[in-house]
Amino acid sequence: MNICFISLGCPKNTVNSEQMVYLAQEAGHRIVPVPERAEAVVVNTCAFIESATQEAIDTIIEIGQLKQTAGVKYLVVAGCLAQRYRKEILEELPEVDALIGIASFGEIARVLAQLSEAETVIERFADKHSPVEELGRTVSTGGSWAYLRIAEGCNNCCSFCVIPSIRGCYRSRSMDAIVKEAEGLAAQGYKELIVIAQDITRYGEDLYGGRSLAALLKRLCAIDGIQWLRLHYLYPDAFDDELIGTIASEPKILHYLDIPIQHINDGILKSMNRRGTGAEIRELFAKLRDRMPDVVLRTSLITGLPGEGEEEFEELCDFLRYAKIQRAGVFPFYPEDGTPAAKMPHVDFETARHRAELVMEIQARVMEDFSVSLIGETLDVLCEGYDEETGLCVGRCYADSPDIDWLTYFDSGKPSLVGQIVPVYIRDTQDGDLLGTLAAKK
């Protein structure tokens, strides 16, 4: 059967989609790139925030229409939307033929085999708190980098967030399983691994009785072929000196740290059930920059959170002007159903959105200044593509994570560089992106 997979949402969803693709291929199915050519379409959904939920619903409706106008016979909905809104999907989206929860991605081949004979909607929902499934993957991110998921779920229970209720408690994968997967990716030629989980700083607490990220990173750094390790997401309250020392001393670990803080005001942090204080966040950032002067900090921020008045918002803006965080995602608060924050008094969405725009104006200047500061530097760049028409290669330096940050364009005249890490002399910037020329090897 021809199958099209559509993956929505975060990198963790991407990994789950890659696992389902692998299992479908192992079962003899053909993967096609567009739904119009498929007999069955699998939509792996996100439901983290309202906009992601709406995107998932719109996609389901769109694929449902193809059941009338194209050759699509079956529609499978997997992931967070299925987990969070199972009852509502069954009642309101009759075009759906099967539902797969977040702990049942390994069931995809069996579900596909049963579609033609099923008389009712197929449902597969294992315990969302069960150990992480160890499944093969068909990597979808190209030949130079891949995600490496080390844990599932979350125990932080931030007041604004639905993830623990959807994806379950925090469950670490075993260190041996992670290292084995990383060795396999290295053997396939992947140069950069992006270490992901909802909170990688708490890796190992459930399996090994204590935080074990530093130990895991040391084992990953010892793998031949892996040249870059990038870390997403590190929670600010869970750093210790061992972890900072490991990041600072291991040359394969990029000095790019994604640390979601959400806000800086103590009262808001407390009401949002965030561990730590604004002073502790400031202290951590100062310590990281002292140990790694070239470190690039990335964070996520939410404007309009409950308790944010003009004074609290100005405190956030003052912090950002001072801290000069080089990379940031900014989101207006939306009261998600089922979260404690949804019941707390807060500003209207338009005010929250306007504040997000003001924060992004501050951040735009910071990010542009940082790009300009790199002019005259020679940076290692992972080449990911080559444009025949312009003769330019495109890639990323240590300061940029795929899909969310900037790119580096450089003259080389060598399309064979794709997949290699090469030195590039930065001579200019354009809208944040870096422009450079291939340099002599260091």
Side-chain angles (χ1 to χ4, degrees):
M1 185 160 53
N2 289 343
I3 316 289
C4 176
F5 284 85
I6 298 173
S7 189
L8 306 174
C10 68
K12 295 176 290 296
N13 267 22
T14 299
V15 171
N16 292 140
S17 296
E18 292 172 344
Q19 292 171 329
M20 288 194 289
V21 168
Y22 172 85
L23 293 172
Q25 290 173 321
E26 287 291 295
H29 297 289
R30 296 173 298 277
I31 310 302
V32 296
V34 293
E36 289 80 3
R37 291 172 51 188
E39 296 167 74
V41 177
V42 180
V43 184
N44 190 18
T45 58
C46 178
F48 171 43
I49 56 177
E50 190 275 337
S51 59
T53 298
Q54 190 59 55
E55 180 187 22
I57 293 171
D58 290 344
T59 302
I60 292 167
I61 293 172
E62 181 182 340
I63 300 303
Q65 293 171 347
L66 291 179
K67 294 175 76 173
Q68 308 299 322
T69 62
V72 177
K73 296 179 181 178
Y74 310 110
L75 171 55
V76 179
V77 175
C80 291
L81 189 80
Q83 189 76 35
R84 185 179 183 186
Y85 294 112
R86 178 180 181 179
K87 180 174 179 290
E88 291 83 351
I89 294 173
L90 291 172
E91 292 176 350
E92 301 175 22
L93 294 171
E95 54 267 72
V96 175
D97 298 292
L99 292 173
I100 297 176
I102 61 96
S104 298
F105 294 110
E107 292 286 310
I108 183 63
R110 284 181 283 275
V111 168
L112 293 173
Q114 295 168 3
L115 285 172
S116 62
E117 299 178 358
E119 297 181 358
T120 60
V121 176
I122 300 170
E123 299 180 67
R124 294 290 183 273
F125 289 86
D127 181 5
K128 66 185 177 184
H129 303 297
S130 58
V132 180
E133 295 178 284
E134 293 296 340
L135 304 170
R137 292 167 59 192
T138 299
V139 177
S140 61
T141 52
S144 58
W145 66 273
Y147 293 116
L148 182 67
R149 183 183 58 153
I150 66 171
E152 179 56 272
C154 186
N155 289 345
N156 291 324
C157 298
C158 301
S159 300
F160 54 83
C161 182
V162 298
I163 285 178
S165 65
I166 296 175
R167 300 196 75 104
C169 64
Y170 195 89
R171 290 102 68 208
S172 303
R173 296 175 62 198
S174 77
M175 201 174 297
D176 287 344
I178 295 167
V179 171
K180 181 179 179 181
E181 181 180 7
E183 288 172 340
L185 293 168
Q188 296 175 58
Y190 292 96
K191 300 293 192 301
E192 177 185 13
L193 297 185
I194 302 179
V195 179
I196 60 168
Q198 190 60 35
D199 176 0
I200 67 172
T201 29
R202 287 182 167 79
Y203 171 76
E205 283 185 340
D206 54 324
L207 285 184
Y208 305 117
R211 296 171 189 163
S212 307
L213 180 61
L216 173 63
L217 292 176
K218 289 174 184 176
R219 289 187 63 180
L220 294 175
C221 287
I223 298 173
D224 289 338
I226 300 303
Q227 297 184 44
W228 284 1
L229 290 172
R230 190 181 298 272
L231 309 182
H232 289 254
Y233 306 92
L234 303 120
Y235 274 54
D237 64 286
F239 272 90
D240 56 32
D241 289 339
E242 181 188 17
L243 179 58
I244 294 174
T246 299
I247 295 170
S249 63
E250 290 285 356
K252 290 186 179 182
I253 302 177
L254 298 176
H255 291 176
Y256 173 106
L257 304 178
D258 193 323
I259 307 172
I261 63 170
Q262 313 306 350
H263 214 280
I264 198 64
N265 175 265
D266 285 348
I268 293 175
L269 292 172
K270 184 176 181 180
S271 67
M272 293 301 100
N273 201 32
R274 302 285 292 185
R275 300 180 181 91
T277 65
E280 289 168 340
I281 292 172
R282 292 179 174 92
E283 182 181 352
L284 172 63
F285 285 2
K287 181 183 291 187
L288 292 171
R289 283 173 164 160
D290 179 62
R291 293 294 304 274
M292 297 169 280
D294 64 338
V295 71
V296 170
L297 298 176
R298 179 176 180 84
T299 196
S300 57
L301 304 163
I302 302 175
T303 57
L305 281 166
E308 186 188 75
E310 290 298 332
E311 183 177 344
E312 291 79 10
F313 176 64
E314 190 55 40
E315 180 182 356
L316 174 63
C317 292
D318 286 344
F319 166 72
L320 294 173
R321 293 185 189 101
Y322 169 79
K324 298 189 184 303
I325 299 169
Q326 298 99 321
R327 304 283 184 256
V330 185
F331 309 92
F333 172 71
Y334 183 89
E336 289 294 329
D337 291 340
T339 62
K343 301 176 182 178
M344 300 177 185
H346 55 85
V347 299
D348 60 87
F349 184 75
E350 282 305 307
T351 299
R353 184 184 60 80
H354 177 63
R355 289 177 180 176
E357 292 173 350
L358 294 176
V359 167
M360 278 312 302
E361 288 179 9
I362 295 172
Q363 282 304 119
R365 290 192 290 271
V366 172
M367 292 187 286
E368 178 63 27
D369 288 345
F370 173 68
S371 292
V372 170
S373 75
L374 296 176
I375 295 174
E377 299 287 335
T378 296
L379 304 175
D380 287 337
V381 172
L382 176 57
C383 182
E384 297 179 300
Y386 177 79
D387 188 322
E388 293 280 356
E389 188 172 329
T390 63
L392 294 178
C393 288
V394 61
R396 293 175 293 108
C397 69
Y398 84 100
D400 298 303
S401 199
D403 299 328
I404 56 174
D405 294 324
W406 307 122
L407 296 169
T408 299
Y409 295 90
F410 61 99
D411 302 306
S412 74
K414 298 179 179 179
S416 60
L417 292 178
V418 174
Q420 297 183 40
I421 296 176
V422 297
V424 174
Y425 175 78
I426 306 302
R427 51 180 172 75
D428 205 350
T429 69
Q430 183 175 336
D431 299 326
D433 292 330
L434 303 178
L435 306 177
T437 304
L438 185 66
K441 289 188 177 183
K442 300 176 183 177

